[in-house]
Amino acid sequence: GDAGTTKSFTNAKDFLDGFGIPYELVSGNHDLEGLDEFQTDEENLQVWMSCFDKPTPHFCRQIGEKTLLLGLSTVRFRSAPFSSHEVHVDQAQIKWFQKTVEAHPADEGWKILVFSHAPIMGSKLRVLQNVHIENGCAWLNHCSDSRSIFIDTIKRNPQIKLWFSGHFHLSHDFMDSLSTVGSCTFVQVGVIGPISTRDGKRQTRLVQGCRDRIKIFTVNHHERDADTGKAQLRLDADVDLQTSKVHLTINSDDAKDKGLFQAYTPRRKDGCYLESPDGTITDSIESKVCWWHMQDGRVLGLHGGQLVEYDAETLSPLGIVVKGLGNDTEVVVVENGSVLALVKKSTKEIKVIHPNDDGSYWRRFQRNKKVRQEEKAREAIARMWLEQTKQ
């Protein structure tokens, strides 16, 4: 389609200008996807910024007494080392973000709301294992060493009260579309368009606040009043900004899985932890859920017939190590957790799973989109040459 093109930017601007009120934006992965129009990420980003009169990719706006909105934007797509759909905030924005947060401390009464296209690692929001975890593009700066900076900043700064993100194309009808870590409540934001939704729901967040409280609503665009045609408005949460306590009002009946394969997030004392794995982990892989530490501190686990790596600090899923494991395969950990291997039960064939150069185990299955397009173009040229030489 038109994702990431000048046309898409001007269409979006016309739509947003139609509300007649001030607004701010952050860029997401698809905003830099104008591969046919722009040669570089820098050019693509600059046109996006120019269209919306933005001097920088990030933004800061005070909306009330000691209440601040901060926004962080992705800056790369073509230059991504792995998945182009990783939402990546550059170092300049990270430094600006940390400096701005520290300049508005909690002990002076500041309250900060943050916006980014993808959620941060450690947010505990619902994520799909077979989509964003498998492709290494779930979390902000997922494939970068800087991915832990955001949750670390939140832990040190209780003035960060809310963090809004989208990216997953999921609705608000799951209990883990809202989560609280420390003083910060993380909010999943859905999609409006019928083509973009993964679970058939078309929703927008609406936020109403005062000095001490913020209410988070869902606008159900797919459910409308028969007489007025107005979209249904639903209160999902009431956040106390003084205590950071959240009262959820979303009905658990609305939170059914809908067949979406949610990633498993290990939790301390969840009954699935293996204290000292030695030898065969399980002989029933497809139904087993468990996790353990390797000798080097890396955290691995089994879920849904897949071998998964988790972040050692937050236990957020990082990526898939091996997918498509069947019950003919045994996962083996030996030598005090220093060696990971797969054993095929029928043939006794063994395959050692070596860590990557950076010490991690998870594999980067999805490669850069621009690189893949260039490869396909060369392959097409080669096929065309071969056909011509046959004539």
Side-chain angles (χ1 to χ4, degrees):
D2 297 322
T5 64
T6 301
K7 180 178 183 296
S8 72
F9 301 153
T10 54
N11 287 345
K13 188 175 190 302
D14 289 343
F15 175 77
L16 294 170
D17 286 349
F19 289 98
I21 58 175
Y23 61 86
E24 289 285 0
L25 306 93
V26 293
S27 66
N29 48 307
H30 295 295
D31 292 314
L32 300 184
E33 201 173 357
L35 300 180
D36 294 334
E37 183 178 356
F38 307 108
Q39 292 301 308
T40 66
D41 291 333
E42 290 77 13
E43 182 186 2
N44 205 160
L45 182 64
Q46 185 57 56
V47 171
W48 175 80
M49 290 166 54
S50 298
C51 181
F52 293 102
D53 301 317
K54 290 179 63 65
T56 63
H58 51 274
F59 73 80
C60 174
R61 179 174 293 204
Q62 186 169 345
I63 59 168
E65 184 181 354
K66 293 187 179 296
T67 304
L68 212 60
L69 305 183
L70 303 183
L72 299 168
S73 286
T74 189
V75 298
R76 73 184 186 193
F77 189 90
R78 300 155 187 78
S79 57
F82 302 106
S83 173
S84 295
H85 295 289
E86 177 200 16
V87 180
H88 180 82
V89 173
D90 60 6
Q91 197 60 37
Q93 287 188 85
I94 291 175
K95 289 182 178 179
W96 168 85
F97 173 65
Q98 292 177 308
K99 183 178 180 180
T100 304
V101 168
E102 291 167 0
H104 300 84
D107 58 13
E108 293 182 8
W110 283 96
K111 300 176 286 291
I112 298 176
L113 286 68
V114 187
F115 300 80
S116 62
H117 181 69
I120 68 170
M121 189 179 69
S123 62
K124 298 183 180 179
L125 290 176
R126 171 174 292 250
V127 58
L128 301 184
Q129 185 159 305
N130 287 340
V131 182
H132 299 98
I133 297 302
E134 179 176 321
N135 293 328
C137 60
W139 315 119
L140 207 59
N141 293 26
H142 192 134
C143 293
S144 306
D145 292 338
S146 56
R147 61 177 172 255
S148 299
I149 286 176
F150 307 105
I151 193 67
D152 291 343
T153 301
I154 283 175
K155 291 176 180 179
R156 295 194 308 270
N157 293 277
Q159 66 269 37
I160 302 178
K161 299 299 183 182
L162 288 157
W163 194 304
F164 297 84
S165 61
H167 191 47
F168 296 155
H169 297 232
L170 292 175
S171 71
H172 312 160
D173 291 356
F174 303 100
M175 294 305 293
D176 47 5
S177 66
L178 291 161
S179 65
T180 301
V181 179
S183 299
C184 183
T185 296
F186 294 94
V187 184
Q188 166 71 29
V189 180
V191 297
I192 298 176
I195 297 176
S196 302
T197 177
R198 293 187 189 278
D199 53 14
K201 303 296 179 67
R202 299 169 49 232
Q203 297 172 323
T204 303
R205 291 290 189 189
L206 183 65
V207 179
Q208 181 185 63
C210 60
R211 177 180 295 183
D212 298 326
R213 311 192 74 80
I214 282 183
K215 292 183 178 180
I216 302 171
F217 295 85
T218 284
V219 180
N220 282 315
H221 299 285
H222 58 283
E223 295 182 1
R224 295 183 174 268
D225 185 276
D227 297 324
T228 65
K230 292 183 178 180
Q232 180 199 77
L233 185 66
R234 183 187 76 201
L235 176 64
D236 286 351
D238 189 343
V239 182
D240 186 323
L241 296 177
Q242 301 303 313
T243 65
S244 297
K245 291 183 178 180
V246 181
H247 174 62
L248 296 176
T249 57
I250 184 172
N251 192 328
S252 59
D253 291 339
D254 296 330
K256 296 177 181 177
D257 204 302
K258 309 296 184 186
L260 296 170
F261 185 23
Q262 176 192 6
Y264 163 70
T265 300
R267 303 189 187 280
R268 311 289 181 185
K269 300 180 180 179
D270 62 3
C272 298
Y273 182 64
L274 305 180
E275 189 71 41
S276 302
D278 185 22
T280 301
I281 296 296
T282 180
D283 57 2
S284 183
I285 285 179
E286 293 180 358
S287 60
K288 184 70 173 180
V289 177
C290 62
W291 59 285
W292 65 92
H293 281 84
M294 297 294 289
Q295 187 182 66
D296 59 5
R298 300 283 176 172
V299 179
L300 301 180
L302 283 170
H303 178 228
Q306 297 178 330
L307 188 58
V308 184
E309 181 169 4
Y310 300 92
D311 176 65
E313 181 181 353
T314 66
L315 296 180
S316 300
L318 276 178
I320 309 300
V321 182
V322 181
K323 53 184 178 180
L325 293 171
N327 281 331
D328 190 40
T329 304
E330 293 179 341
V331 176
V332 177
V333 177
V334 295
E335 200 63 26
N336 296 318
S338 61
V339 178
L340 174 69
L342 304 178
V343 177
K344 199 170 185 64
K345 290 188 284 187
S346 57
T347 63
K348 300 303 179 183
E349 178 185 358
I350 189 166
K351 178 183 178 181
V352 175
I353 306 299
H354 298 284
N356 301 313
D357 291 342
D358 64 358
S360 68
Y361 285 86
W362 65 283
R363 303 321 193 205
R364 282 65 167 174
F365 291 107
Q366 188 176 65
R367 298 165 60 237
N368 181 290
K369 184 174 181 178
K370 186 173 186 294
V371 172
R372 286 183 282 132
Q373 283 189 344
E374 292 172 346
E375 290 176 349
K376 289 180 179 178
R378 288 192 290 269
E379 291 167 0
I381 293 171
R383 286 194 297 270
M384 186 180 300
W385 174 85
L386 183 59
E387 290 296 325
Q388 292 173 347
T389 58
K390 288 180 180 178
Q391 296 176 359

